[in-house]
Amino acid sequence: MSNGQKQRPVTIRRLPTGVPGLDEILGGGLPEYSFNMIAGGPGCGKTTLVHQFVFANASPERPALYFTLLGEPAVKMLRYQQQFTFFDQAKLDGAVRFINLSRFVLEEDLNAVLEEIIKQVEAYNAHIVVVDSFRTVVRRAEATATEMELQGFIQRLALHLTSWQVTSFLVAECAEGETRDNPVFTVADGLFWLYQSVERNSVVRKMHIMKVRGQESIPGLHTFRITQAGLQTFPRTLGLAQESGHVKGQRRVSTGVPGLDALMGGGIPEFNSLLLAGPSGSGKSIIASQFIAEGLRQGVPGVVVIFEELPADFMNRAALIGLDFDTPQKAGTLKIIYIRPLDLSVDETVHEIVRAVKQMGAQRVMLDSLVGFEMALAPDFRHEFRESLYRMIGALTRLGVTVLSTVEVDENFTSMGLSHFAISFLADDIVRLRYVSINGQLRKMLLVVKMRGSEHSIDMTEYVVTGKGVIIGAPLRGYQGLISGIPGPWSSESEEGVPNPLRDGGTTTLPERKEEHHE
């Protein structure tokens, strides 16, 4: 090879893990012939994780050997693992073999254990090797061998398995602090750490890919759940890893409430996130329902995500204002997702919503409500609610979806807050609903607080909730202090000396739009 010629890097094939979402977290899959460690406390899912990989990749031509030491017997392990849908009984005839090394651990030394592993790997020409539980080897070494002997055992085991082109896993029960002193963590090419945290009445499982040599993995803790199908992970960057081909605001999307569209300058800019903030009973859910119904009327599929009521209750309430959500559900143009209020994670929620959006080609999503969303989260996730909500809204709008979220605000009749979450910066557009006391009546008023990159009306407008939905009325004139909720008669003396171009010959409404906007 000439000095000016560059040597091509070795191509490392990536193997599928068999765990939904984990390939994305790893950066494309698990490097072939890598020496990996799966660690964590009891009950975290370590054995289930490695079984998913084994059954996803083992074949008679590329068999897997599963060595058990002094831990769980293979017969007992298989009794439970075969309950998962990934388990394939047919592969036990030659593709997957279980070998018990208990005798060598109890009666021999580390060299005998290593020699038996190498002997079996060579005899079966294994391509995948699992040693479970490696913690047994460490304890055996602590009792009869020195730290240097343990280090040598690990080095030789890794060398032999790699030279035989084997993808290998060591499964061990370890506390997080043990990474500092255990030599296996230095030798390993990949290090998977599984956590199971209990807070109050909820259990949350998370995975941390601490190391993967030769490729870029997604950093941080990733939530996973153990289901009948095995482990399922929920990558934190879902929907944010790739560039979006959707440009916001090129068209307008109707809310289904004509008067509100006019106040917003023609509707919601497409692919924006609109936040409806207001007190209980102000009509937030009704406006959101009209938004979905308008999309369905135009042939645009939608997804409704509810946290505070059952789907049947939601549809019955919509029917009271003349909205039929049962027919589009049966036709497959509407998906109603009810998120169970248990140990919920935001990433899991995003995964379910995004899957529904992609399956249906949905262009509208309704989230009702963010308060209910927070209450449905496991306590461990509530302190990162704003960060997680940012990821969720970003993922949906990047998919080409216009999102309408509702949030309940407590009225105190002294100020006009937008949300007790301090999340208003996450929304492109904000519409504030509130009660006002006028002439002994509790009336409803709304105003467009914010529209990113777009003009909008600055009028404070009355509206009513009727049997046909929300109807926008006229601007509230002749009052001052409307945003306090307890207005008084307008007085010209209160504004003397204050320049106001809208008052002095200006207008508080937008000019009529010449073009029509359609979805």
Side-chain angles (χ1 to χ4, degrees):
M1 184 178 69
S2 63
N3 294 334
Q5 184 178 358
K6 289 186 178 181
Q7 185 177 1
R8 293 183 179 180
V10 175
T11 300
I12 299 178
R13 195 163 72 100
R14 296 172 182 176
L15 303 178
T17 61
V19 178
L22 185 52
D23 290 353
E24 179 184 346
I25 294 173
L26 289 171
L30 188 75
E32 192 175 30
Y33 312 144
S34 57
F35 185 71
N36 303 282
M37 182 77 172
I38 299 178
C44 288
K46 303 182 297 298
T47 300
T48 303
L49 170 59
V50 76
H51 271 87
Q52 278 181 262
F53 179 87
V54 166
F55 280 94
N57 290 276
S59 66
E61 298 75 28
R62 303 175 64 84
L65 294 183
Y66 200 110
F67 293 101
T68 59
L69 302 178
L70 295 180
E72 195 173 26
V75 174
K76 181 182 177 183
M77 181 190 306
L78 291 175
R79 180 186 180 193
Y80 292 103
Q81 290 299 311
Q82 66 182 332
Q83 305 303 317
F84 293 108
T85 57
F86 67 78
F87 188 89
D88 186 354
Q89 184 75 30
K91 290 196 173 186
L92 297 182
D93 291 337
V96 181
R97 295 178 183 271
F98 289 83
I99 300 173
N100 194 318
L101 298 180
S102 298
R103 182 178 66 83
F104 295 91
V105 175
L106 292 172
E107 301 175 5
E108 306 287 343
D109 57 10
L110 291 178
N111 289 328
V113 175
L114 178 61
E115 289 173 5
E116 183 63 19
I117 292 175
I118 294 172
K119 174 184 173 182
Q120 297 292 344
V121 170
E122 292 177 354
Y124 290 106
N125 190 29
H127 284 68
I128 301 171
V129 169
V130 178
V131 179
D132 185 6
S133 159
F134 187 72
R135 180 71 172 177
T136 303
V137 176
V138 175
R139 288 174 177 169
R140 181 76 171 85
E142 290 173 348
T144 62
T146 65
E147 184 176 340
M148 289 302 296
E149 288 174 319
L150 176 60
Q151 178 79 31
F153 170 82
I154 295 169
Q155 292 281 0
R156 284 179 291 152
L157 177 62
L159 177 62
H160 280 289
L161 293 177
T162 303
S163 62
W164 273 90
Q165 296 187 332
V166 170
T167 305
S168 53
F169 298 88
L170 306 183
V171 182
E173 290 185 7
C174 297
E176 187 175 0
E178 295 182 51
T179 56
R180 182 176 53 190
D181 302 322
N182 198 322
V184 72
F185 299 112
T186 303
V187 177
D189 301 312
L191 180 54
F192 299 66
W193 208 284
L194 276 58
Y195 303 86
Q196 182 175 227
S197 62
V198 179
E199 185 172 347
R200 294 171 61 181
N201 295 324
S202 70
V203 176
V204 173
R205 289 186 169 97
K206 294 185 179 182
M207 180 185 300
H208 183 196
I209 309 301
M210 301 183 72
K211 177 167 73 169
V212 181
R213 284 191 173 131
Q215 64 192 48
E216 184 179 2
S217 61
I218 299 176
L221 294 173
H222 301 274
T223 307
F224 72 93
R225 184 177 291 275
I226 300 178
T227 68
Q228 195 63 39
L231 265 71
Q232 181 176 7
T233 59
F234 307 101
R236 296 172 60 249
T237 58
L238 182 61
L240 298 175
Q242 65 275 356
E243 288 294 327
S244 171
H246 304 284
V247 180
K248 290 185 174 185
Q250 290 188 330
R251 297 189 306 137
R252 295 280 175 155
V253 173
S254 173
T255 62
V257 183
L260 181 56
D261 289 346
L263 294 175
M264 300 179 73
I268 308 171
E270 193 175 31
F271 312 140
N272 271 15
S273 169
L274 170 66
L275 182 67
L276 280 179
S280 176
S282 58
K284 303 182 299 298
S285 298
I286 293 177
I287 294 176
S289 298
Q290 289 181 257
F291 164 75
I292 292 294
E294 176 64 18
L296 295 171
R297 189 187 67 80
Q298 298 181 17
V300 175
V303 173
V304 172
V305 188
I306 52 179
F307 302 92
E308 300 174 2
E309 59 183 342
L310 296 172
D313 296 331
F314 170 76
M315 289 193 295
N316 290 336
R317 185 168 51 80
L320 294 176
I321 58 172
L323 302 181
D324 176 17
F325 285 153
D326 185 52
T327 301
Q329 250 203 132
K330 293 176 179 177
T333 57
L334 175 65
K335 174 76 171 179
I336 299 177
I337 300 175
Y338 170 65
I339 304 296
R340 60 191 180 280
L342 295 174
D343 50 345
L344 182 68
S345 76
V346 178
D347 301 313
E348 183 176 359
T349 304
V350 175
H351 176 86
E352 187 167 354
I353 297 172
V354 166
R355 181 174 57 184
V357 167
K358 289 182 176 179
Q359 287 177 347
M360 302 173 57
Q363 298 175 30
R364 296 188 179 207
V365 169
M366 162 186 168
L367 301 174
D368 188 27
S369 72
L370 298 185
V371 173
F373 188 12
E374 187 204 27
M375 293 302 297
L377 294 176
D380 190 55
F381 293 110
R382 291 179 187 171
H383 67 278
E384 56 187 41
F385 179 65
R386 288 205 310 161
E387 174 195 345
S388 301
L389 192 61
Y390 169 79
R391 294 200 308 270
M392 181 172 70
I393 297 297
L396 292 173
T397 54
R398 281 170 178 259
L399 284 173
V401 172
T402 305
V403 182
L404 192 154
S405 308
T406 69
V407 62
E408 186 168 332
V409 179
D410 294 331
E411 295 286 34
N412 57 19
F413 290 95
T414 59
S415 62
M416 193 181 70
L418 299 178
S419 167
H420 67 276
F421 293 122
I423 56 172
S424 56
F425 73 96
L426 298 177
D428 299 301
D429 316 312
I430 299 176
V431 174
R432 179 64 159 89
L433 316 177
R434 78 157 305 147
Y435 294 116
V436 291
S437 175
I438 298 177
N439 296 331
Q441 295 179 326
L442 193 63
R443 290 153 70 175
K444 297 180 178 69
M445 175 195 80
L446 65 78
L447 67 154
V448 180
V449 176
K450 166 187 171 184
M451 288 194 67
R452 191 166 286 165
S454 174
E455 292 183 339
H456 61 85
S457 170
I458 60 173
D459 281 330
M460 300 180 189
T461 305
E462 188 173 11
Y463 70 96
V464 292
V465 179
T466 72
K468 295 183 179 180
V470 169
I471 297 177
I472 306 299
L476 288 169
R477 305 294 192 198
Y479 301 97
Q480 61 182 8
L482 280 167
I483 61 174
S484 72
I486 309 177
W490 179 81
S491 171
S492 59
E493 295 179 358
S494 62
E495 296 189 2
E496 286 183 1
V498 180
N500 187 337
L502 296 180
R503 183 189 66 222
D504 303 330
T507 177
T508 59
T509 57
L510 292 176
E512 185 177 341
R513 301 177 67 90
K514 295 181 180 180
E515 70 278 10
E516 293 184 357
H517 298 273
H518 304 281
E519 295 213 3

